[in-house]
Amino acid sequence: MFKNLFENGKNSAINTLLSNKNTLALVNGKLARYGEVLSLQHDESGFHAEARLLGSAETIRVSVRKLAFSEDCSSVKLCGFSSSAQWCQHLLEDFIEGKEFDIPTEARTF
């Protein structure tokens, strides 16, 4: 019972953070050259984003099964990708999967 209560509270807090306009602005600031992230969500299966690439009317859904943070939360590794577009899945696996990315100082407190 308490585990479910904790998980529901944690998922709610994560979704509140992910839907925050500042979080989207931070993500979109990094990805503006390629397109725009329209939404971010989290559930028991992982983290999910819906994005539209520049020059495309189609939206793409990307999911990440796991985020692995460094002890001091200064970096993160993303693991276990899936995408609604096969070419995007391959790019993520080749260039993002398992690589460490710095977390901006202003975002570390979250």
Side-chain angles (χ1 to χ4, degrees):
M1 176 177 133
F2 290 112
K3 183 179 178 184
N4 286 341
L5 202 60
F6 174 75
E7 285 299 317
N8 289 341
K10 182 178 84 171
N11 287 344
S12 176
I14 291 171
N15 279 323
T16 298
L17 174 64
L18 293 178
S19 64
N20 183 297
K21 66 180 180 179
N22 294 327
T23 303
L24 277 173
L26 182 66
V27 171
N28 280 323
K30 295 286 185 186
L31 302 176
R33 176 182 164 127
Y34 308 103
E36 176 185 20
V37 175
L38 304 172
S39 67
L40 297 166
Q41 298 100 29
H42 172 263
D43 62 26
E44 64 280 345
S45 66
F47 298 85
H48 315 285
E50 189 172 4
R52 180 172 295 118
L53 299 177
L54 292 177
S56 176
E58 176 185 345
T59 60
I60 295 174
R61 185 138 170 95
V62 173
S63 296
V64 181
R65 186 177 29 83
K66 180 181 172 190
L67 301 179
F69 292 93
S70 62
E71 277 191 40
D72 64 354
C73 289
S74 64
S75 64
V76 64
K77 288 182 184 179
L78 291 78
C79 307
F81 284 99
S82 62
S83 175
S84 60
Q86 187 175 16
W87 63 267
C88 184
Q89 169 103 20
H90 291 211
L91 281 172
L92 293 167
E93 291 170 350
D94 292 348
F95 297 105
I96 305 295
E97 178 85 30
K99 292 189 173 53
E100 199 165 311
F101 295 92
D102 290 335
I103 297 173
T105 305
E106 62 272 14
R108 292 180 190 171
T109 57
F110 295 113

